[in-house]
Amino acid sequence: MATPRVYTEPSRIEIPTLKHVLYLLLLFAFALNVAAQKPVNTRKAYKPIRTALKAKNGSEALRVINTLLTDSAYSHDPKLYAYAIESELLLCEGFNEKMYLGQSIDTAQFFQANYDLMQFILRCDSAEVQQATTVIASDQRAKGRTVDSYRKQNAQLLLQYFPNMSAAGRFHYGKRQYAQARKYFEQYFSLPKHPMWTGDTLLSQTQTYRENTYLAFRTMYELGQYDALRTHSSVLLADSTMHAQVLDMLIAAARQQNDSVTYFQLLKQALDEQPNRLDYFSVLANSYIDNGDYVSSLQLADTLLSKDPFNKYYLECRCLSLFRLGRIEESKIAAERLVEADTCSAEAYYVLGYYYVEQAEHVQLPAQTRSSLYKSAKNRQAAFYTQARPYLERFRALMPEETALWAPLLYKVYLNLNLGKEFEEINQSGVF
């Protein structure tokens, strides 16, 4: 006989309060914290690495190592980095063996293995220092105690493989692989500053170091990393064999950065040191003239002429600066000197033609047109126009498109010298 079903009223469902929820969250957090504090089994985790190393399989060992390094439970363990160093050494030795046997290798990969070796050496040392700090902090009795089980042997490896950073930088620089070259040069310059360094303290005085300094500077320039140029600029500028090239790159960098203050400052320095740099002179002179700063353009010309008195470009700058400043008498003398240096200087002929037309117009003609004084003044005026004519006609021949400059002056010359044919040609040219 079946047991009769007894109907019972369902029990009430209790909704947890906020207090209960917070309590559960605290328990969960505590459980996570306890789990995190459980000691990791490094022996078990590192077993695949040891197996790969025993089999001389550095690549497989590094695969496991790189996976473990993403886990904070292992990433601070010097032992793991020691395994990484051992793995990289296997790779480097493999490359060296092939080269010894005359076999071809991937040079870029060889240098990358050397670079990674250096990186693991540095990271191992950092992990050891951090470990020592932790030990000392947790045990006051350990004052003065350090953990230094890997530094000595790693320092020897660092010195042994350090030259390859130079070779790697030069290799990639030669192939114009500037980003790669810079990576290696940065490593090359940083290693001697590390506490592990026990090598040559006079390294910076060697020819190789100086050459690498320039190559590193050049890689930054080629990469457009202009702010970084200051890292090596002072050292290179002090070297007379590299000074000019480095200064050129600093000038170009300042221009690219639109740093006008530094740009013009360096231009002046370059011109002071190399007065024959017409490219830099042209930039400075045109900048002054375009901005109406004729005093500065005149000073620039005078400074350079003191070093190169017969330079036609500097003479031209001086002549035009004086002319624009309204110092006509001086500009005329400067123009005569310029013509001696350059018989094709259109600017000089214009200044001379302008000067004599102005002299003619300044002649005071007496009111009495029949007097001897009037005739004398008229002759003197005609003489000035006569002197102006060849200069202005020469300027016209050299600069035919500059009608706004030569046409008004030749109009006056032909009119006052009664040169009917020439005057008519100018008058009918449509210039006026």
Side-chain angles (χ1 to χ4, degrees):
M1 180 176 177
T3 304
R5 296 178 59 187
V6 178
Y7 176 78
T8 58
E9 187 177 336
S11 60
R12 288 183 303 167
I13 299 175
E14 292 189 8
I15 300 175
T17 65
L18 179 60
K19 181 178 180 181
H20 292 148
V21 172
L22 291 175
Y23 177 73
L24 291 172
L25 289 175
L26 286 173
L27 284 176
F28 181 68
F30 177 76
L32 288 178
N33 187 48
V34 170
Q37 291 179 359
K38 287 176 63 178
V40 295
N41 189 345
T42 57
R43 183 171 181 80
K44 181 179 179 181
Y46 295 167
K47 184 178 179 180
I49 301 173
R50 291 192 296 270
T51 300
L53 290 174
K54 187 175 181 179
K56 303 296 183 182
N57 191 340
S59 298
E60 174 60 21
L62 284 169
R63 186 189 67 77
V64 180
I65 289 167
N66 286 322
T67 300
L68 290 175
L69 285 174
T70 62
D71 188 336
S72 60
Y74 303 98
S75 61
H76 301 292
D77 184 9
K79 181 65 176 177
L80 184 58
Y81 291 108
Y83 282 136
I85 292 168
E86 189 176 347
S87 303
E88 291 292 352
L89 283 172
L90 280 176
L91 296 183
C92 291
E93 289 167 2
F95 283 117
N96 289 329
E97 184 178 347
K98 286 184 178 180
M99 286 189 287
Y100 178 78
L101 295 174
Q103 300 174 6
S104 62
I105 66 167
D106 187 320
T107 308
Q109 288 185 6
F110 167 68
F111 286 132
Q112 183 63 51
N114 280 262
Y115 180 86
D116 292 339
L117 171 63
M118 293 294 180
Q119 287 293 303
F120 281 127
I121 288 175
L122 298 178
R123 293 174 72 180
C124 181
D125 193 68
S126 296
E128 277 200 309
V129 171
Q130 182 61 41
Q131 188 180 80
T133 303
T134 303
V135 169
I136 294 171
S138 63
D139 187 355
Q140 293 299 320
R141 294 172 300 176
K143 187 176 182 181
R145 175 182 163 195
T146 60
V147 178
D148 196 22
S149 59
Y150 296 112
R151 175 173 281 194
K152 185 175 181 181
Q153 66 189 52
N154 285 346
Q156 293 174 350
L157 288 173
L158 185 144
L159 294 179
Q160 179 182 346
Y161 286 86
F162 170 73
N164 287 341
M165 296 300 97
S166 171
R170 288 168 176 255
F171 169 79
H172 286 288
Y173 180 87
K175 291 183 174 293
R176 297 186 178 182
Q177 297 167 346
Y178 298 118
Q180 285 292 89
R182 177 156 192 219
K183 178 182 76 172
Y184 288 106
F185 283 132
E186 285 295 300
Q187 186 84 296
Y188 175 84
F189 290 113
S190 66
L191 290 176
K193 300 174 185 177
H194 196 276
M196 292 180 68
W197 182 260
T198 58
D200 187 1
T201 56
L202 300 178
L203 178 68
S204 62
Q205 299 179 23
T206 63
Q207 181 66 22
T208 299
Y209 190 93
R210 288 195 293 271
E211 291 174 355
N212 285 346
T213 302
Y214 173 77
L215 294 178
F217 181 91
R218 187 61 185 259
T219 60
M220 292 181 246
Y221 174 78
E222 296 292 348
L223 290 169
Q225 298 171 348
Y226 302 126
D227 288 334
L229 296 179
R230 299 185 183 91
T231 307
H232 301 302
S233 60
S234 59
V235 174
L236 293 172
L237 287 172
D239 189 328
S240 59
T241 62
M242 303 178 186
H243 179 92
Q245 297 179 60
V246 172
L247 187 57
D248 284 347
M249 283 186 276
L250 289 174
I251 289 172
R255 183 180 67 245
Q256 291 295 328
Q257 292 178 297
N258 294 317
D259 184 352
S260 58
V261 174
T262 301
Y263 179 54
F264 286 109
Q265 179 183 346
L266 292 175
L267 279 177
K268 292 174 186 177
Q269 178 184 342
L271 269 177
D272 184 58
E273 296 170 356
Q274 306 170 68
N276 61 334
R277 288 299 300 264
L278 296 178
D279 50 344
Y280 290 159
F281 163 74
S282 177
V283 173
L284 267 179
N286 287 332
S287 174
Y288 291 142
I289 291 173
D290 290 345
N291 289 291
D293 188 359
Y294 306 121
V295 172
S296 292
S297 62
L298 178 59
Q299 290 175 344
L300 175 65
D302 285 342
T303 298
L304 294 172
L305 284 169
S306 67
K307 301 176 182 181
D308 188 0
F310 304 104
N311 188 298
K312 64 181 182 180
Y313 300 103
Y314 305 158
L315 288 170
E316 180 182 295
C317 180
R318 185 173 194 277
C319 176
L320 290 178
S321 297
L322 289 167
F323 182 77
R324 300 286 178 84
L325 287 169
R327 294 160 62 174
I328 304 302
E329 287 287 346
E330 294 175 86
S331 69
K332 178 254 187 183
I333 297 171
E336 291 174 338
R337 187 179 170 190
L338 175 56
V339 169
E340 291 177 3
D342 180 14
T343 56
C344 293
S345 174
E347 290 78 6
Y349 292 121
Y350 177 79
V351 169
L352 289 169
Y354 183 95
Y355 169 80
Y356 285 113
V357 168
E358 185 179 71
Q359 293 301 304
E361 291 179 336
H362 286 167
V363 173
Q364 297 293 323
L365 295 175
Q368 295 296 325
T369 58
R370 296 178 179 277
S371 68
S372 60
L373 290 177
Y374 180 88
K375 184 178 181 180
S376 177
K378 199 68 175 169
N379 288 338
R380 193 162 64 255
Q381 187 181 65
F384 284 130
Y385 282 123
T386 300
Q387 285 180 287
R389 180 184 176 185
Y391 293 125
L392 293 173
E393 289 179 339
R394 178 67 169 148
F395 175 73
R396 178 184 183 181
L398 291 170
M399 306 287 285
E401 71 283 0
E402 296 291 346
T403 53
L405 293 177
W406 53 258
L409 296 177
L410 279 175
Y411 180 91
K412 294 177 182 179
V413 169
Y414 295 152
L415 175 64
N416 285 279
L417 293 180
N418 294 316
L419 298 172
K421 179 181 177 183
E422 290 82 358
F423 174 78
E424 194 63 27
E425 186 267 331
I426 289 284
N427 196 35
Q428 293 180 359
S429 64
V431 175
F432 302 100

